[in-house]
Amino acid sequence: MMTSIKRLPRRLPGWAKVVSAVTLVLVVLFAGIRLSVLPGLDDLFGTETHDRSGPALLKSIQDISRYDAASGNFQVVVDLEKDTKYLPDAIRGTRTLYVGAGTVDAYVDLGKIGENDVTVDEDRTSATLRLPHAALGKPALDADRSYAVSKQRGLLDRLGDLFSDNPNGEQAVQQLAVRHIRDAAKESELTERAETNTTEMLEGLLGSLGFKEVRVTYGT
Protein backbone atom coordinates (compact mmCIF):
# COMPACT_ATOMS: atom_id res chain seq x y z
CA MET A 1 0.00 0.00 0.00
CA MET A 2 1.16 3.47 -0.78
CA THR A 3 0.34 6.29 1.58
CA SER A 4 0.09 9.78 0.13
CA ILE A 5 2.29 12.26 1.87
CA LYS A 6 0.94 15.80 2.22
CA ARG A 7 3.44 18.49 1.61
CA LEU A 8 3.85 20.98 4.37
CA PRO A 9 3.25 24.60 3.31
CA ARG A 10 6.46 26.41 2.66
CA ARG A 11 7.23 29.14 5.14
CA LEU A 12 7.75 32.58 3.69
CA PRO A 13 11.16 34.05 4.24
CA GLY A 14 11.50 37.11 6.51
CA TRP A 15 12.01 39.58 3.68
CA ALA A 16 8.85 38.36 1.96
CA LYS A 17 6.82 39.00 5.13
CA VAL A 18 8.18 42.55 5.34
CA VAL A 19 7.32 43.21 1.69
CA SER A 20 3.83 41.79 2.17
CA ALA A 21 3.22 43.95 5.24
CA VAL A 22 4.41 47.12 3.49
CA THR A 23 2.28 46.28 0.45
CA LEU A 24 -0.78 45.78 2.65
CA VAL A 25 -0.22 49.13 4.38
CA LEU A 26 0.18 50.89 1.04
CA VAL A 27 -3.00 49.29 -0.32
CA VAL A 28 -5.00 50.40 2.72
CA LEU A 29 -3.45 53.87 2.61
CA PHE A 30 -4.11 54.56 -1.04
CA ALA A 31 -7.54 52.94 -0.87
CA GLY A 32 -8.42 55.37 1.89
CA ILE A 33 -7.12 58.27 -0.19
CA ARG A 34 -9.20 57.25 -3.20
CA LEU A 35 -12.30 56.83 -1.07
CA SER A 36 -11.79 60.32 0.35
CA VAL A 37 -11.57 61.97 -3.06
CA LEU A 38 -14.38 60.11 -4.82
CA PRO A 39 -17.63 62.10 -4.62
CA GLY A 40 -20.76 60.59 -3.17
CA LEU A 41 -19.11 57.81 -1.16
CA ASP A 42 -19.93 59.45 2.16
CA ASP A 43 -23.62 59.32 1.30
CA LEU A 44 -23.28 55.73 0.06
CA PHE A 45 -21.95 54.51 3.40
CA GLY A 46 -24.39 56.66 5.39
CA THR A 47 -21.90 58.91 7.17
CA GLU A 48 -23.53 61.02 9.88
CA THR A 49 -22.23 63.83 12.08
CA HIS A 50 -23.30 64.15 15.71
CA ASP A 51 -22.45 67.09 17.96
CA ARG A 52 -22.11 65.79 21.52
CA SER A 53 -20.25 68.81 22.87
CA GLY A 54 -21.00 69.95 26.39
CA PRO A 55 -22.31 73.42 27.24
CA ALA A 56 -19.92 76.37 27.14
CA LEU A 57 -18.83 77.50 30.60
CA LEU A 58 -18.32 81.14 31.56
CA LYS A 59 -14.82 81.34 33.05
CA SER A 60 -14.53 85.07 33.78
CA ILE A 61 -15.90 88.53 33.00
CA GLN A 62 -13.72 91.57 32.38
CA ASP A 63 -14.78 95.19 32.19
CA ILE A 64 -13.68 96.90 28.98
CA SER A 65 -12.92 100.60 28.93
CA ARG A 66 -11.46 100.82 25.45
CA TYR A 67 -13.10 102.31 22.41
CA ASP A 68 -12.76 100.13 19.31
CA ALA A 69 -12.42 102.82 16.68
CA ALA A 70 -11.31 100.90 13.58
CA SER A 71 -11.08 97.36 12.28
CA GLY A 72 -8.92 96.04 9.44
CA ASN A 73 -9.61 92.96 7.32
CA PHE A 74 -6.53 91.11 6.12
CA GLN A 75 -5.78 88.08 3.97
CA VAL A 76 -2.50 86.24 3.54
CA VAL A 77 -1.40 83.18 1.55
CA VAL A 78 0.91 80.99 3.65
CA ASP A 79 3.24 78.58 1.87
CA LEU A 80 4.84 76.42 4.56
CA GLU A 81 7.29 73.67 3.61
CA LYS A 82 9.13 71.28 5.94
CA ASP A 83 11.94 69.14 4.58
CA THR A 84 14.06 66.36 6.06
CA LYS A 85 17.76 66.01 5.40
CA TYR A 86 18.86 63.07 3.26
CA LEU A 87 15.27 62.06 2.47
CA PRO A 88 13.28 63.05 -0.63
CA ASP A 89 10.02 64.91 -0.17
CA ALA A 90 8.09 61.90 -1.46
CA ILE A 91 9.28 59.93 1.59
CA ARG A 92 9.39 62.55 4.34
CA GLY A 93 8.28 66.16 4.05
CA THR A 94 5.23 68.38 4.01
CA ARG A 95 4.12 71.45 2.14
CA THR A 96 0.88 73.30 2.88
CA LEU A 97 -0.65 76.18 0.95
CA TYR A 98 -3.07 77.99 3.24
CA VAL A 99 -5.23 81.09 2.83
CA GLY A 100 -5.65 82.91 6.14
CA ALA A 101 -8.22 85.67 6.59
CA GLY A 102 -8.64 87.63 9.77
CA THR A 103 -9.32 90.96 11.42
CA VAL A 104 -7.37 93.29 13.68
CA ASP A 105 -9.05 95.98 15.78
CA ALA A 106 -7.46 99.31 16.67
CA TYR A 107 -8.63 100.89 19.91
CA VAL A 108 -8.07 103.77 22.31
CA ASP A 109 -7.98 102.85 25.99
CA LEU A 110 -10.18 105.48 27.62
CA GLY A 111 -9.56 103.90 31.01
CA LYS A 112 -6.07 105.39 31.07
CA ILE A 113 -7.36 108.97 31.04
CA GLY A 114 -6.45 110.76 34.28
CA GLU A 115 -7.84 113.88 35.93
CA ASN A 116 -5.05 116.03 34.47
CA ASP A 117 -5.81 114.78 30.96
CA VAL A 118 -9.16 116.61 30.77
CA THR A 119 -9.44 120.40 30.91
CA VAL A 120 -12.70 122.34 30.77
CA ASP A 121 -13.03 126.14 30.86
CA GLU A 122 -15.24 127.95 33.32
CA ASP A 123 -18.02 128.53 30.80
CA ARG A 124 -18.02 124.84 29.90
CA THR A 125 -17.84 125.70 26.23
CA SER A 126 -14.29 124.52 25.57
CA ALA A 127 -12.68 121.18 26.44
CA THR A 128 -9.21 119.74 25.91
CA LEU A 129 -8.57 116.00 26.18
CA ARG A 130 -5.29 114.16 26.11
CA LEU A 131 -5.64 110.47 25.21
CA PRO A 132 -3.18 107.58 24.89
CA HIS A 133 -2.19 106.59 21.39
CA ALA A 134 -4.31 103.99 19.68
CA ALA A 135 -3.13 100.39 19.98
CA LEU A 136 -3.73 97.19 18.03
CA GLY A 137 -5.68 94.26 19.41
CA LYS A 138 -4.83 90.62 18.85
CA PRO A 139 -5.47 89.29 15.34
CA ALA A 140 -8.56 87.11 15.08
CA LEU A 141 -8.41 84.40 12.42
CA ASP A 142 -11.74 83.86 10.66
CA ALA A 143 -12.31 80.11 10.40
CA ASP A 144 -15.11 80.55 7.86
CA ARG A 145 -12.87 82.44 5.41
CA SER A 146 -9.62 80.56 6.05
CA TYR A 147 -8.86 77.28 4.29
CA ALA A 148 -6.09 75.00 3.03
CA VAL A 149 -5.63 75.17 -0.72
CA SER A 150 -3.37 72.13 -0.99
CA LYS A 151 -1.45 69.70 1.19
CA GLN A 152 1.51 67.63 0.09
CA ARG A 153 2.88 65.00 2.44
CA GLY A 154 5.51 62.31 2.15
CA LEU A 155 4.79 58.63 2.64
CA LEU A 156 6.07 58.56 6.22
CA ASP A 157 3.99 61.61 7.12
CA ARG A 158 0.88 59.96 5.71
CA LEU A 159 1.57 56.83 7.72
CA GLY A 160 2.12 58.95 10.82
CA ASP A 161 -1.29 60.57 10.37
CA LEU A 162 -2.90 57.15 10.73
CA PHE A 163 -1.68 56.97 14.34
CA SER A 164 -1.94 60.66 15.17
CA ASP A 165 -4.60 62.22 17.39
CA ASN A 166 -4.60 65.31 15.15
CA PRO A 167 -4.07 64.18 11.55
CA ASN A 168 -3.42 66.92 9.01
CA GLY A 169 -3.15 69.51 11.82
CA GLU A 170 -3.09 73.08 10.53
CA GLN A 171 -1.92 74.73 13.73
CA ALA A 172 1.47 75.71 12.31
CA VAL A 173 0.11 77.46 9.22
CA GLN A 174 -2.62 79.14 11.28
CA GLN A 175 -0.06 80.55 13.69
CA LEU A 176 2.04 81.74 10.76
CA ALA A 177 -1.00 83.38 9.17
CA VAL A 178 -1.78 85.22 12.43
CA ARG A 179 1.83 86.45 12.61
CA HIS A 180 1.73 87.81 9.06
CA ILE A 181 -1.62 89.48 9.68
CA ARG A 182 -0.27 91.13 12.84
CA ASP A 183 2.79 92.42 10.96
CA ALA A 184 0.60 93.76 8.15
CA ALA A 185 -1.59 95.59 10.67
CA LYS A 186 1.47 97.25 12.20
CA GLU A 187 2.55 98.53 8.81
CA SER A 188 -0.94 99.81 7.94
CA GLU A 189 -2.59 103.09 8.92
CA LEU A 190 -5.04 101.35 11.21
CA THR A 191 -4.00 103.15 14.42
CA GLU A 192 -4.06 106.54 12.68
CA ARG A 193 -7.58 105.82 11.47
CA ALA A 194 -8.60 104.80 15.00
CA GLU A 195 -7.36 108.09 16.46
CA THR A 196 -9.20 110.07 13.78
CA ASN A 197 -12.42 108.20 14.43
CA THR A 198 -12.04 108.62 18.20
CA THR A 199 -11.56 112.36 17.80
CA GLU A 200 -14.69 112.63 15.65
CA MET A 201 -16.66 110.58 18.17
CA LEU A 202 -15.63 112.80 21.11
CA GLU A 203 -16.25 116.00 19.15
CA GLY A 204 -19.77 114.85 18.34
CA LEU A 205 -20.45 113.65 21.89
CA LEU A 206 -19.20 116.79 23.63
CA GLY A 207 -20.77 118.99 20.97
CA SER A 208 -24.17 117.50 21.79
CA LEU A 209 -23.51 118.45 25.46
CA GLY A 210 -23.03 122.11 24.57
CA PHE A 211 -19.26 122.34 24.05
CA LYS A 212 -18.44 124.57 21.12
CA GLU A 213 -14.71 123.84 21.00
CA VAL A 214 -13.22 120.40 21.54
CA ARG A 215 -9.50 119.72 21.24
CA VAL A 216 -8.20 116.15 21.35
CA THR A 217 -4.52 115.27 21.46
CA TYR A 218 -2.70 111.93 21.73
CA GLY A 219 0.42 111.04 23.64
CA THR A 220 1.94 108.46 25.94
Side-chain angles (χ1 to χ4, degrees):
M1 296 179 63
M2 297 181 61
T3 303
S4 60
I5 300 176
K6 296 184 179 180
R7 294 184 177 181
L8 296 176
R10 297 179 59 186
R11 298 182 61 182
L12 293 176
W15 64 268
K17 293 181 179 180
V18 173
V19 172
S20 301
V22 173
T23 303
L24 179 60
V25 171
L26 292 177
V27 169
V28 173
L29 175 65
F30 288 108
I33 296 174
R34 294 192 62 183
L35 288 176
S36 64
V37 299
L38 289 178
L41 287 181
D42 288 341
D43 297 335
L44 178 62
F45 291 102
T47 301
E48 296 181 355
T49 301
H50 302 279
D51 185 3
R52 295 188 174 91
S53 305
L57 301 178
L58 176 63
K59 304 295 292 185
S60 63
I61 297 178
Q62 296 178 343
D63 295 330
I64 298 177
S65 59
R66 73 185 195 183
Y67 174 64
D68 290 329
S71 182
N73 295 305
F74 299 88
Q75 187 179 72
V76 60
V77 178
V78 177
D79 188 352
L80 181 61
E81 183 176 5
K82 295 183 180 181
D83 297 324
T84 303
K85 289 184 177 180
Y86 312 116
L87 288 177
D89 294 341
I91 301 298
R92 182 66 185 271
T94 61
R95 183 175 182 180
T96 305
L97 193 63
Y98 183 83
V99 175
T103 59
V104 179
D105 294 333
Y107 66 92
V108 176
D109 192 350
L110 301 179
K112 293 183 178 180
I113 301 177
E115 295 181 358
N116 298 328
D117 295 326
V118 180
T119 305
V120 179
D121 66 349
E122 296 181 357
D123 299 333
R124 296 186 61 84
T125 59
S126 177
T128 301
L129 298 89
R130 181 179 177 85
L131 308 180
H133 282 295
L136 295 174
K138 295 182 179 180
L141 200 64
D142 190 343
D144 293 333
R145 297 190 295 122
S146 303
Y147 56 93
V149 178
S150 65
K151 298 179 182 179
Q152 299 176 5
R153 293 171 295 149
L155 176 60
L156 295 180
D157 297 280
R158 292 180 181 273
L159 293 176
D161 288 342
L162 296 177
F163 306 98
S164 174
D165 294 334
N166 185 26
N168 304 330
E170 297 178 351
Q171 184 177 5
V173 289
Q174 290 175 350
Q175 292 176 346
L176 196 56
V178 168
R179 187 188 311 169
H180 286 307
I181 290 175
R182 181 176 60 246
D183 294 341
K186 291 180 180 179
E187 297 177 359
S188 68
E189 299 179 355
L190 197 55
T191 53
E192 289 83 353
R193 176 69 69 86
E195 293 181 359
T196 300
N197 294 341
T198 302
T199 299
E200 293 178 353
M201 182 272 294
L202 292 174
E203 289 176 346
L205 177 62
L206 295 178
S208 64
L209 297 177
F211 288 90
K212 298 180 180 179
E213 182 181 355
V214 179
R215 184 171 179 266
V216 181
T217 60
Y218 296 87
T220 55

